Amino acid sequence: MTIYIKRDNLREYEIPLENPTLLQALKYIKSELDRTLSYNSSCGSSVCGSCAVRVDSKERLACAHRLVGGEVIEPLRNTKVIRDLVVDSHYPLSFNQKVQTWLIPQSDKIELTQESEAATKLQSNCILCMACFSACPVYEVNHNFIAPFTFTRALRYLKDARCKDEIPILSLLQTDGIYECTLCGECSAACPQDISSKDDVVALRNLSAMSGFVDPNFLSSFGGGLEF
Amino acid sequence: MQNSKIIIVGAGGAGLVAAIKAKELGASVTVLCKQRPTNSQTCMAQGGINAAINSADSVELHIQDTLKSALGKADSKMVELMCRAAPEAIEWLDKIGVPFSRDSSNTIAQRMLGGASAARACYAQDYTGLKILHTLYDQCLRVGVEFVCEQMLIDLIVEDGICRGVVTLDIRTSSLQQFHSNATILATGGYCGLYGEYSTNASNTTGDGIAVALRSGAMSDGLEFVQFHPTALKNSSVLISESARGEGGYLLDSNMKRFTDELDARDKVARAIYDKMIDGEDVYLDITHLGEDFIDKHLPQERKLSKLYENIDPVDKPMPIRPVAHYSMGGIQCDNQTQTAITALFVAGECANHKVHGANRLGGNSLLELVVFATIAAENALKAPISQITSDIDLTNNKEFIDSLFNENATINFYHERRLLNSTMYSHVGIKRSKTKLTEALKIVEQMSQRVEQMGVLDTNKTYNTELVEFLEFLNSLYLSRQIIQAALKRESSCGAHYME
Ligand SMILES: Cc1cc2nc3c(=O)[nH]c(=O)nc-3n(C[C@H](O)[C@H](O)[C@H](O)COP(=O)(O)OP(=O)(O)OC[C@H]3O[C@@H](n4cnc5c(N)ncnc54)[C@H](O)[C@@H]3O)c2cc1C
Ligand code: SF4
Ligand code: SF4
């Protein structure tokens, strides 16, 4: 089969393997056809998050995608391409730091309940592959927009019974965050772990409203100045 | 007084635990790693992490089980230390946010793994390693650990037997960097990746840190003890966790008959399967009788992996499996304070031999080991009375070495040699060994080493040159393979995972 890889230009590679995963094909190219191809991979079993790329404009883990032939492979979008299929991860990952997506350990023991464990189960399956980040259309207009996976991570900790104060994380989500999201769902479609950052944004908006934060769009729809 | 500067190489569970602990004790901490922290192999652990924390279990039983499995090759004091520290380790992980699965009374749920006399493995659904690793990473960001990613350790700075920092290859630019420290902790993981496609490990788990440390004067310990996991998917070597058997899965031969105690020690189960394979039979892991609901609740990842990588839905059909290299019991030799033969160089996690697994590791004990010993490593690194060097050291030798790897006239494809190394290690230094096989393997490896001059990196581009990285990993694998074979040759009688015919 033939596949095409977007490098400095679009290159064509002939892969004599039967029903390979994209990662197998990349390894074949590297060892047999072209040593200059750069890509990342590690665990080969869908859990380390290092091999996400775009296949025919859709984000996929190379190790988990079976090729049929004719596909165009590209690096992830919205961040700098370092070389071939390798992109910069520093910038996307910086959003976790910005939103402080972590638990503040408490000295008194708080039990995680079975219910709370179940509530954060999906969000804590995130492998930080950045597929959602690549799929999100907001970066075309706003580079400061918080990464979709950061929303998911924020929700993971906010819904955890051991989180004592939700305000710090919530307040960091108010600008360039939950209200700038268009709820287009591209991130959910891209996620190999079936996480929906879009749904998480909706949940975060609800949590924000319950904690007294005000949706700026709601304000402006009243023509800005609100007087009661 | 200036903060103690600690360099940690490796950002798996061990590296990140050490980083948090050292930072909390007041050190300034920099973590270096080959990729990004969350790419580390620790994310692959599914089964669980051991601690005696329920009424049917006790620390004494945990110690006994671990020692029994280690077959006299562990240090009972270290085992005792680890097992006693286990409940506290779980409590700490729980406190920082690891979402351990709960039972209906909201206490941490535990599952049975092989060789354990009680349900002892705490788990986070079947993503235990992933959730531990990511939680640790988030905590590192909280406490302000500095990460410098895409740095490959290639050398230690050792002066008069004292480690004063490390030399890395900056993968983004192929240039050399040096990092000075008061103390250094290696947490670079194991070496089972050198079995290539005959391994459950990440492809870049090539024992780099061990190779670098040994070349710099550290000692190895127990390298011949390589654990083969009984149940990897036959075609992809993707691991099906022991929890599949712990939850009631069967091993079946070609006649669909059970042939061994599924929860026996790993080495025994692996050999039982291997014998069947040598007889030309296929071996299967069958969980069909557990039912779809149970599988989706307790073993969802196993189902996903089998469907994806073997094209078999284990709800309907048994999964074809084979035993492959999984865990390095051996590693860098260290004392009970994790200090190596090089002053101010400490080790933690799978790259070290903390003398707790001996000849056969119990499932769930390695995640435990890394929490316990990374903590000890951090505490000791802070006590290291070593001052930092003030000026950069001359890296000419390292630079010449890297330059020498570029060889546009290479006539031998090292990727092909790597495959030969992988298969030789599996067939000759594998589940069943013999003096003849080991001697033959040594010869193959030595001949390969002589061919290295004809191999090399063809790609001259200095930006993110992954061929250079893979060639360095191959050289580390080759170096370590020889060490493993030599260690295996020295141990003439069978012991646990080291089985001599
Ligand atoms: C599939 C699988 C399932 C497992 N399941 C379990 C389980 O259920 N329970 C259990 O207890 N154990 C399990 N284990 C074993 C356990 O996961 C490992 O022993 C443990 O995670 C090792 O952690 P570590 O921090 O020592 O190393 P790793 O997680 O391997 O991390 C190594 C780090 O070192 C870095 N590194 C390596 N070389 C270099 C270099 N040259 N320069 C710079 N950085 C470098 C890497 O980038 C990485 O960050 C499993 C292992 C596998 C493979
Ligand atoms: S739903 Fe929101 S976060 Fe997700 S891709 Fe669309 S705009 Fe981005
Ligand atoms: S939310 Fe999904 S797509 Fe986004 S980083 Fe996490 S696993 Fe990847």
Side-chain angles (χ1 to χ4, degrees):
Chain A
M1 66 174 69
T2 310
I3 62 170
Y4 304 87
I5 301 185
K6 184 157 174 282
R7 303 182 61 188
D8 36 6
N9 49 26
L10 199 64
R11 307 239 191 131
E12 185 180 318
Y13 294 100
E14 193 54 41
I15 316 287
L17 304 173
E18 210 180 306
N19 194 23
T21 62
L22 173 54
L23 182 58
Q24 284 166 339
L26 294 175
K27 287 187 172 173
Y28 178 83
I29 295 170
K30 184 90 180 163
S31 67
E32 309 305 324
L33 304 177
D34 185 350
R35 302 278 190 96
T36 68
L37 176 70
S38 287
Y39 59 90
N40 256 324
S41 77
S42 178
C43 78
S45 54
S46 311
V47 70
C48 78
S50 69
C51 68
V53 294
R54 285 167 31 104
V55 180
D56 291 338
S57 308
K58 293 200 166 61
E59 284 71 17
R60 293 285 182 263
L61 295 179
C63 72
H65 185 80
R66 297 253 173 220
L67 296 171
V68 291
E71 289 92 341
V72 176
I73 317 298
E74 296 168 277
L76 294 182
R77 294 189 310 171
N78 296 334
T79 181
K80 209 172 83 197
V81 175
I82 295 177
R83 183 174 169 192
D84 300 336
L85 300 176
V86 178
V87 297
D88 170 67
S89 57
H90 195 78
Y91 152 60
L93 290 180
S94 69
F95 290 105
N96 287 348
Q97 180 81 47
K98 187 174 163 191
V99 181
Q100 304 183 7
T101 50
W102 49 69
L103 190 80
I104 304 206
Q106 303 297 322
S107 46
D108 45 331
K109 192 170 159 76
I110 308 171
E111 282 297 351
L112 179 68
T113 57
Q114 197 174 32
E115 201 188 349
S116 156
E117 177 225 328
T120 61
K121 181 177 152 188
L122 186 61
Q123 285 78 11
S124 55
N125 282 349
C126 170
I127 60 174
L128 278 186
C129 66
M130 311 191 297
C132 51
F133 181 85
S134 168
C136 178
V138 175
Y139 295 95
E140 277 166 35
V141 291
N142 183 356
H143 270 276
N144 296 321
F145 180 59
I146 290 166
F149 56 74
T150 302
F151 294 129
T152 293
R153 230 169 176 75
L155 190 65
R156 166 195 166 178
Y157 286 117
L158 290 174
K159 284 208 291 186
D160 193 304
R162 294 165 294 189
C163 170
K164 249 191 157 171
D165 184 3
E166 295 158 358
I167 302 302
I169 292 184
L170 284 178
S171 58
L172 291 166
L173 292 165
Q174 305 298 310
T175 23
D176 294 319
I178 47 180
Y179 307 110
E180 275 75 7
C181 164
T182 64
L183 302 184
C184 68
E186 293 293 338
C187 51
S188 323
C191 179
Q193 292 289 75
D194 297 327
I195 294 165
S196 172
S197 296
K198 174 197 152 202
D199 289 354
D200 296 343
V201 167
V202 174
L204 289 167
R205 285 185 185 176
N206 290 337
L207 275 181
S208 295
M210 285 192 299
S211 300
F213 290 95
V214 183
D215 178 347
N217 302 320
F218 180 72
L219 273 182
S220 56
S221 68
F222 281 84
L226 262 200
E227 286 175 57
F228 289 104
Chain B
M1 203 187 81
Q2 235 212 307
N3 276 356
S4 190
K5 173 84 196 173
I6 314 275
I7 296 288
I8 298 172
V9 190
L16 298 188
V17 170
I20 296 167
K21 299 283 183 175
K23 185 76 193 176
E24 284 181 339
L25 290 169
S28 127
V29 180
T30 302
V31 177
L32 311 172
C33 55
K34 268 203 281 201
Q35 297 177 296
R36 286 183 273 132
T38 54
N39 299 149
S40 305
Q41 181 177 283
T42 295
C43 69
M44 298 171 77
Q46 301 158 7
I49 167 168
N50 287 341
I53 54 169
N54 65 55
S55 54
D57 199 3
S58 71
V59 170
E60 278 63 38
L61 277 177
H62 189 183
I63 297 171
Q64 270 174 34
D65 292 341
T66 305
L67 284 173
K68 185 173 163 219
S69 176
L71 294 168
K73 294 291 174 282
D75 178 337
S76 57
K77 286 210 195 70
M78 301 304 280
V79 170
E80 184 173 343
L81 185 157
M82 179 180 80
C83 299
R84 287 210 186 285
E88 201 189 317
I90 299 298
E91 202 170 302
W92 180 72
L93 290 173
D94 181 51
K95 187 169 150 180
I96 62 170
V98 174
F100 284 119
S101 293
R102 306 285 150 155
D103 59 24
S104 50
S105 55
N106 292 337
T107 50
I108 291 177
Q110 291 182 290
R111 61 166 57 124
M112 191 83 183
L113 293 181
S117 46
R120 183 177 294 144
C122 310
Y123 55 95
Q125 297 91 46
D126 49 5
Y127 275 126
T128 313
L130 175 79
K131 296 190 184 193
I132 290 178
L133 184 70
H134 283 242
T135 305
L136 290 171
Y137 172 64
D138 293 340
Q139 290 295 309
C140 283
L141 298 184
R142 180 179 71 83
V143 300
V145 169
E146 182 193 25
F147 286 102
V148 189
C149 302
E150 294 161 331
Q151 298 289 327
M152 179 171 191
L153 174 76
I154 60 158
D155 203 0
L156 297 174
I157 304 173
V158 180
E159 288 175 353
D160 304 325
I162 302 170
C163 179
R164 295 177 172 283
V166 303
V167 180
T168 62
L169 175 82
D170 181 342
I171 297 172
R172 286 183 169 217
T173 58
S174 300
S175 62
L176 293 176
Q177 307 279 329
Q178 52 183 305
F179 296 86
H180 303 161
S181 65
N182 298 94
T184 302
I185 302 174
L186 289 186
T188 46
Y191 49 84
C192 280
L194 64 80
Y195 285 81
E197 62 176 296
Y198 308 95
S199 166
T200 59
N201 282 202
S203 53
N204 47 16
T205 305
T206 40
D208 300 347
I210 305 175
V212 168
L214 298 189
R215 288 196 208 102
S216 301
M219 314 287 276
S220 68
D221 190 4
L223 292 182
E224 67 277 26
F225 293 114
V226 175
Q227 177 165 78
F228 287 78
H229 197 292
T231 57
L233 291 173
K234 191 174 172 194
N235 296 307
S236 57
S237 286
V238 169
L239 176 76
I240 297 300
S241 159
E242 191 164 281
S243 43
R245 281 170 290 139
E247 304 283 8
Y250 297 145
L251 288 171
L252 305 178
D253 61 16
S254 288
N255 302 316
M256 296 295 151
K257 287 228 159 51
R258 290 175 72 185
F259 58 92
T260 185
D261 171 7
E262 281 85 359
L263 289 179
D264 211 339
R266 282 189 181 167
D267 61 324
K268 291 194 191 137
V269 181
R271 280 195 298 275
I273 298 172
Y274 187 75
D275 287 343
K276 287 276 170 193
M277 285 166 44
I278 291 293
D279 290 344
E281 290 201 41
D282 292 321
V283 177
Y284 301 90
L285 174 57
D286 183 14
I287 57 171
T288 53
H289 55 284
L290 299 179
E292 184 162 5
D293 290 347
F294 185 90
I295 292 171
D296 281 344
K297 182 151 195 299
H298 297 279
L299 303 164
Q301 207 198 342
E302 281 75 7
R303 183 177 187 191
K304 175 177 156 184
L305 292 173
S306 177
K307 277 163 80 172
L308 193 64
Y309 293 103
E310 207 74 20
N311 208 6
I312 284 185
D313 186 346
V315 165
D316 307 323
K317 266 198 206 161
M319 301 170 270
I321 51 105
R322 68 175 176 189
V324 297
H326 179 59
Y327 183 83
S328 349
M329 265 86 69
I332 302 166
Q333 180 267 336
C334 62
D335 68 10
N336 60 8
Q337 298 299 310
T338 75
Q339 159 80 58
T340 65
I342 302 172
T343 305
L345 181 70
F346 301 86
V347 281
E350 198 172 332
C351 70
N353 186 342
H354 296 298
K355 291 221 163 293
V356 288
H357 307 305
N360 202 8
R361 173 190 72 119
L362 283 184
N365 266 356
S366 45
L367 288 174
L368 172 61
E369 161 195 44
L370 65 82
V371 180
V372 173
F373 291 102
T375 304
I376 296 177
E379 287 163 1
N380 286 297
L382 250 90
K383 290 186 209 146
I386 303 300
S387 57
Q388 258 187 68
I389 46 174
T390 45
S391 54
D392 279 356
I393 62 149
D394 178 17
L395 296 181
T396 310
N397 285 345
N398 298 106
K399 187 154 185 323
E400 279 172 8
F401 168 66
I402 295 294
D403 289 344
S404 75
L405 303 179
F406 289 91
N407 178 3
E408 280 180 273
N409 304 319
T411 49
I412 299 178
N413 184 335
F414 77 85
Y415 288 101
H416 296 173
E417 298 285 324
R418 185 174 75 179
R419 225 173 289 148
L420 174 64
L421 182 68
N422 301 153
S423 59
T424 304
M425 290 301 284
Y426 187 65
S427 57
H428 290 61
V429 197
I431 300 158
K432 286 191 165 182
R433 307 160 174 186
S434 68
K435 199 165 173 193
T436 328
K437 282 201 224 169
L438 291 173
T439 318
E440 214 173 278
L442 190 61
K443 210 169 117 204
I444 295 173
V445 165
E446 279 171 352
Q447 285 168 349
M448 194 177 287
S449 305
Q450 282 166 11
R451 291 196 294 273
V452 164
E453 267 182 29
Q454 291 145 264
M455 306 174 202
V457 179
L458 304 182
D459 179 12
T460 52
N461 189 332
K462 298 280 157 117
T463 305
Y464 224 101
N465 188 324
T466 52
E467 191 195 5
L468 175 58
V469 172
E470 289 186 298
F471 191 48
L472 281 164
E473 287 170 346
F474 166 72
L475 294 179
N476 287 333
S477 303
L478 187 57
Y479 171 83
L480 272 185
S481 295
R482 187 200 284 233
Q483 308 275 330
I484 295 166
I485 299 167
Q486 277 164 348
L489 274 168
K490 273 195 206 123
R491 187 173 298 286
E492 289 177 355
S493 52
S494 295
C495 185
H498 174 72
Y499 186 87
M500 291 289 272
E501 280 179 319

